[in-house]
Amino acid sequence: RRETYGANNDGTQPPSENERMMEKMLVQWRNELSEELTCGILPFWTAFLGDGEHFAGRIDGRGKAHPEAGAVLIARMLWTFSAAYRMTGRSEYLDAARKVRELLVSRLIDPVYGGVYWEIAPGGDPLCCKKQSYAIGFAIYGLSEYVRATGDPAALDEAAALFGALEEHVWDAARGGYAEALTRDWRPLEDMRLSEKDANTYFSMNTHLHLLEPCANLLRVWPEGRVAEAVRRLLRIHTDRIFDPQTGHLNLFFDAEWRPQGRTVSYGHDIEASWLIDEAADLLGDPQITAGAGSVSEALARAAAEGVQPDGSLIYEHDPLTGRTDADRHWWVQAEAAVGFFNRYERTGDEAFLRHSRDAWRYIRTHLCDTENGEWFWSVRADGSVNRDDDKAGFWKCPYHNSRMCMELIRRIERLLTKN
């Protein structure tokens, strides 16, 4: 009879010391993430939202409220509260999601031309009516997540209508991409910039990346052939046009013929795209697409790691043409680093990626979490000082990157723990 000295009753070997240490680390990490989500991030945003009618659209870095509110903030809040309710089942998140959905539908969706307005005034009237493709994408993302959380058929109709507007008005079949922005009634727009820091170009990486994630999320609740085709199309755009195989990075801006305009590297977008590309390819379930997307996403993760610093953080961007480096540690870049590197660890088993993910979380917890007032600071500057000049909440400072990081990592850690 073969002896199984030290084995469990079922004949399996007990976990090694390394395995026990790994399990202990993962459990602690999961608990830290859960605490940050439910005690640090979400209470700030439920208080910010209030009754959903009279919330301050922006809070600056020193705590002063301002009235203006943008479509991206509202759509991202809808995604956040819907996803939080879907994960936890806590009624306060469902209540918040319902308030934001009502705000989005009643104030942001254009009843005449479709799509969503870019910005609303304090009273809720349209302030800027241009149709920014990026904002429409996030409205689809929020509404489709609300459908995942509630099964509400009306919300699905709203998301489907926005998707239809994108396909009818924004998709440029002749050039093979989605235009950056159009006027309220879908005519060409001279200034198509997403923000003041962006180049005024016909196509951009950022818009296409944030159309990929909502179309993939919509496919989860509305498995229509045209939605699946949009996801395939967007994946091809990323792998064939936006990804630069010579550098391993994403190019950021393009003219109408898809010629790159500049060579700036955005480390945060590289690592964010790496896991969103994998996620979208997995949803399609086509082995050939999955393999092609996987090779690009791994190259992006390895290229993004060029920006990892000794303290575990990921710097913002670098321009190889001028040699200029922006070494600030932005909140969203660290959040996407934690998810993107963990995703590559799951897919490759390379523990260097796990260390990058864990180090990004340690940096966040030590330097970015506002333990006094909740939420995170916008960034830590290259000199180590906290940036209080940029918003705590507002047009771009939303609960989506950091709450999504917590929820993604909790799910992925639990999956690893169950597997092991």
Side-chain angles (χ1 to χ4, degrees):
R1 187 174 60 130
R2 185 159 121 11
E3 295 294 329
T4 54
Y5 177 79
N8 296 319
N9 291 335
D10 61 0
T12 60
Q13 292 298 316
S16 67
E17 182 63 23
N18 284 342
E19 289 169 334
R20 283 194 293 267
M21 289 176 62
M22 171 71 85
E23 181 178 359
K24 182 179 179 180
M25 181 273 288
L26 290 173
V27 169
Q28 179 183 345
W29 192 359
R30 179 195 60 192
N31 293 343
E32 290 170 357
L33 291 161
S34 181
E35 180 181 16
E36 176 58 23
L37 177 68
T38 59
C39 301
I41 298 171
L42 293 176
F44 176 93
W45 289 99
T46 51
F48 174 83
L49 175 64
D51 64 5
E53 286 287 331
H54 306 97
F55 74 100
R58 183 168 76 88
I59 297 176
D60 66 28
R62 291 175 173 80
K64 183 180 178 181
H66 301 263
E68 63 270 19
V72 173
L73 167 67
I74 294 167
R76 286 173 168 180
M77 285 198 297
L78 177 57
W79 182 91
T80 297
F81 289 126
S82 300
Y85 173 67
R86 192 169 62 82
M87 169 171 268
T88 69
R90 291 171 59 166
S91 60
E92 64 264 36
Y93 304 147
L94 178 59
D95 291 342
R98 285 172 172 157
K99 292 174 187 175
V100 184
R101 184 249 175 149
E102 174 59 29
L103 180 64
L104 188 152
V105 172
S106 65
R107 303 292 189 180
L108 281 176
I109 292 181
D110 185 338
V112 178
Y113 296 103
V116 297
Y117 302 126
W118 179 241
E119 187 177 3
I120 56 175
D125 293 329
L127 188 60
C128 178
C129 296
K130 68 174 179 175
K131 300 298 166 59
Q132 201 81 33
S133 306
Y134 185 98
I136 298 170
F138 271 105
I140 295 170
Y141 197 45
L143 287 165
S144 58
E145 191 66 17
Y146 186 83
V147 175
R148 293 183 76 191
T150 66
D152 189 330
L156 178 57
D157 289 344
E158 291 150 6
L162 291 174
F163 172 79
L166 272 178
E167 295 302 294
E168 180 180 356
H169 300 293
V170 182
W171 170 247
D172 186 333
R175 295 182 171 93
Y178 291 87
E180 279 293 289
L182 298 165
T183 64
R184 181 187 177 188
D185 57 354
W186 309 108
R187 289 178 291 110
L189 186 64
E190 183 175 344
D191 186 349
M192 297 189 290
R193 290 177 299 170
L194 186 60
S195 72
E196 291 181 0
K197 74 177 288 294
D198 290 316
N200 185 25
T201 57
Y202 193 77
F203 294 131
S204 80
M205 170 281 303
N206 204 8
T207 287
H208 284 83
L209 180 62
H210 293 297
L211 290 178
L212 176 64
E213 65 186 329
C215 288
N217 211 44
L218 182 60
L219 186 61
R220 288 186 167 108
V221 295
W222 195 40
E224 290 283 314
R226 58 184 176 143
V227 181
E229 179 52 36
V231 175
R232 287 190 195 92
R233 178 195 297 155
L234 282 158
L235 281 171
R236 286 195 298 269
I237 289 170
H238 281 83
T239 58
D240 298 351
R241 294 188 182 277
I242 296 176
F243 173 69
D244 186 339
Q246 293 184 327
T247 66
H249 296 287
L250 301 171
N251 287 316
L252 305 186
F253 300 104
F254 304 84
D255 67 14
E257 305 306 319
W258 281 106
R259 291 183 290 255
Q261 305 297 295
R263 292 291 178 182
T264 299
V265 169
S266 173
Y267 298 108
H269 285 114
D270 284 344
I271 195 61
E272 182 182 21
S274 74
W275 77 268
L276 290 176
I277 287 171
D278 276 336
E279 179 182 65
D282 288 347
L283 280 169
L284 290 177
D286 183 324
Q288 187 172 357
I289 291 175
T290 300
S295 63
V296 168
S297 63
E298 180 156 0
L300 284 170
R302 294 192 182 280
E306 296 167 8
V308 172
Q309 301 302 294
D311 60 9
S313 64
L314 188 63
I315 59 174
Y316 190 55
E317 62 184 26
H318 172 68
D319 187 341
L321 297 181
T322 65
R324 176 185 172 275
T325 296
D326 183 339
D328 285 5
R329 278 70 158 177
H330 288 236
W331 96 96
W332 71 267
V333 175
Q334 314 317 311
E336 296 303 330
V339 178
F341 288 130
F342 198 100
N343 175 66
R344 289 324 302 169
Y345 168 68
E346 286 183 289
R347 291 171 185 269
T348 65
D350 185 340
E351 292 194 359
F353 288 126
L354 182 63
R355 286 193 297 274
H356 286 326
S357 177
R358 179 71 172 149
D359 289 347
W361 166 242
R362 286 189 180 122
Y363 183 88
I364 289 164
R365 200 165 186 233
T366 304
H367 299 285
L368 283 171
C369 294
D370 184 347
T371 56
E372 182 178 351
N373 300 304
E375 240 295 310
W376 299 4
F377 301 111
W378 180 287
S379 66
V380 173
R381 294 191 173 92
D383 63 8
S385 62
V386 172
N387 173 9
R388 296 181 186 271
D389 295 327
D390 287 302
D391 290 346
K392 192 69 175 296
F395 216 97
W396 297 107
K397 184 64 162 54
C398 313
Y400 135 88
H401 286 287
N402 53 3
S403 65
R404 186 172 71 175
M405 179 209 73
C406 292
M407 288 184 271
E408 279 291 329
L409 289 181
I410 289 168
R411 275 193 289 265
R412 290 166 187 262
I413 289 170
E414 288 180 345
R415 188 162 61 208
L416 272 185
L417 290 169
T418 302
K419 181 180 177 182
N420 294 337

